[in-house]
Amino acid sequence: MQEKILITGALGQIGTELTNRLVSLYGKENVIASGLERYDKNMTTAGFYERLDVTNTQLLRQVITEHQITTVYHLASLLSGTSEKQPLFAWKLNLEPLINLCELAKEGLLQKIFWPSSIAVFGKGIPKMNVGQEVVLNPTTVYGISKLAGEKWCEYYFDKYGVDVRSIRYPGLVSWKTPAGGGTTDYAVEIFYEAVENAKYTSFIKEDTAMPMLYMDDAINATLQLMDAPKESLSVRTSYNLGGMSFTPQDLANEIRKEIPEFEIAYEPDFRQAIADSWPASIDDSVAKKDWGLSYEFGIEEMAKDMIKNLRIKLDK
Ligand code: AKB
């Protein structure tokens, strides 16, 4: 059966790049992008665009039925910083559409769902370094609580109804095509824009706070690898740990100075510092490596070079 793919949050940081890759793999006629924005012909490479508020259950069902969707990459979500400002809406947006999609899969309308979780599930009291797949989860942010609950719903629908929903705990994602928005790890994207445009940046995260991070190319590869893996090889039905690399704002500034020697950085931590302090500094992703062959191409050095090269072109600098 021909795969027909719907992406929610298709115009966001992950959505834009994932849509491009899915179009190159499945053809634009089989990829349907969706988002809250009004349609504009330059906004997506997908063959179709649906203006869709994912909390509108009726409309979500209608889009899935009309396009005979088989697979949904459900990316629409509020990130950690924004969720703290709108906790009840974050709970609604981050959970309800996921459960509704699982219901549609249970009815047989969908075959596969991808849903992103986050390193935000770990939280307070958990060791900082090399945090394993099976540790006690203790999130203290609204975002982390919603992601933990979502993971348990994924596992529940798989165990009880065989719904094939797959998930990754993304670390901070760094990319140049579409800016991130509302996350705690977003400093690692903003810093590059400011470095290329103004050769200086004020970080809202302290200089020595390490967090797990991943370059977008590796994130997209990992997502597609997980979705292609045979069902039988998957031992985790909550969400897979994914570590990428681990670095601090200071490490990143040092890397940027190799390309932009005059780059200056200052530190003015805000409310997102407390969120970062509750997250791990590095993650053990050996289970994903074993189950579906997770691997990475980008370290901090390759990432910084690629970001600066592409942003210089994008920003005409
Ligand atoms: C955020 O900072 O909120 C996200 C995440 C790590 O899930 N990038």
Side-chain angles (χ1 to χ4, degrees):
M1 183 181 188
Q2 176 60 56
E3 248 192 274
K4 278 249 175 178
I5 298 166
L6 172 69
I7 303 132
T8 75
L11 307 179
Q13 190 197 12
I14 308 173
T16 325
E17 301 204 28
L18 187 61
T19 302
N20 292 346
R21 279 289 291 281
L22 290 168
V23 164
S24 70
L25 291 170
Y26 295 93
K28 63 196 296 174
E29 64 288 359
N30 295 311
V31 180
I32 293 91
S34 72
L36 280 176
E37 293 78 355
R38 273 181 202 285
Y39 179 67
D40 165 332
K41 66 178 181 347
N42 299 319
M43 96 200 324
T44 179
T45 51
F48 301 86
Y49 177 77
E50 292 285 351
R51 195 172 179 206
L52 172 66
D53 171 356
V54 280
T55 62
N56 184 335
T57 312
Q58 277 312 103
L59 195 55
L60 186 60
R61 172 186 282 273
Q62 193 181 316
V63 168
I64 285 170
T65 323
E66 274 174 10
H67 289 279
Q68 297 184 304
I69 300 295
T70 57
T71 305
V72 178
Y73 289 80
H74 172 41
L75 306 178
S77 165
L78 278 200
L79 294 184
S80 54
T82 321
S83 295
E84 288 305 303
K85 295 184 176 155
Q86 304 175 62
L88 299 187
F89 178 62
W91 177 256
K92 184 179 169 67
L93 178 67
N94 291 358
L95 260 302
E96 283 178 16
L98 169 66
I99 298 171
N100 288 327
L101 286 169
C102 288
E103 278 293 310
L104 296 178
K106 179 183 149 194
E107 277 179 43
L109 285 180
L110 290 174
Q111 287 170 11
K112 240 191 242 177
I113 302 167
F114 175 80
W115 177 76
S117 184
S118 157
I119 52 158
V121 293
F122 294 107
K124 242 198 205 147
I126 282 141
K128 277 270 168 199
M129 305 305 290
N130 215 23
V131 179
Q133 181 71 48
E134 295 297 336
V135 294
V136 175
L137 301 175
N138 187 25
T140 45
T141 61
V142 173
Y143 178 64
I145 296 168
S146 71
K147 290 295 182 188
L148 171 55
E151 288 190 4
K152 296 309 286 182
W153 277 110
C154 292
E155 190 181 48
Y156 176 83
Y157 271 94
F158 175 75
D159 285 348
K160 193 138 189 193
Y161 304 110
V163 168
D164 193 359
V165 47
R166 305 180 179 199
S167 177
I168 283 174
R169 290 173 178 155
Y170 285 131
L173 298 180
V174 180
S175 65
W176 59 269
K177 280 193 186 134
T178 309
T184 301
T185 55
D186 291 5
Y187 88 85
V189 179
E190 289 174 7
I191 194 172
F192 282 105
Y193 277 82
E194 291 299 317
V196 169
E197 287 200 294
N198 305 311
K200 58 178 189 224
Y201 178 63
T202 302
S203 170
F204 57 80
I205 296 295
K206 283 190 208 153
E207 60 190 291
D208 56 354
T209 303
M211 283 186 273
M213 299 277 183
L214 189 65
Y215 199 42
M216 188 57 84
D217 301 48
D218 281 333
I220 301 295
N221 286 340
T223 307
L224 296 173
Q225 250 177 309
L226 170 64
M227 288 300 270
D228 274 351
K231 231 176 171 172
E232 316 71 61
S233 64
L234 304 183
S235 64
V236 175
R237 283 297 181 163
T238 48
S239 187
Y240 277 96
N241 269 13
L242 212 141
M245 52 194 130
S246 170
F247 58 75
T248 64
Q250 196 172 37
D251 296 332
L252 201 47
N254 289 339
E255 217 46 65
I256 290 172
R257 275 193 207 104
K258 290 185 189 165
E259 303 289 318
I260 306 172
E262 69 280 19
F263 177 66
E264 283 172 21
I265 185 160
Y267 300 93
E268 282 176 21
D270 68 10
F271 72 101
R272 287 167 284 190
Q273 182 63 44
I275 300 179
D277 287 339
S278 78
W279 290 355
S282 66
I283 302 274
D284 171 0
D285 50 20
S286 49
V287 181
K289 286 179 174 144
K290 181 170 107 348
D291 283 6
W292 44 274
L294 169 70
S295 65
Y296 305 113
E297 277 173 27
F298 287 81
I300 186 169
E301 198 176 332
E302 296 81 13
M303 176 189 80
K305 274 204 180 115
D306 203 59
M307 281 295 286
I308 293 170
K309 184 184 87 193
N310 283 298
L311 283 177
R312 277 184 172 143
I313 299 167
K314 180 178 170 180
L315 303 170
D316 201 14
K317 288 283 173 185

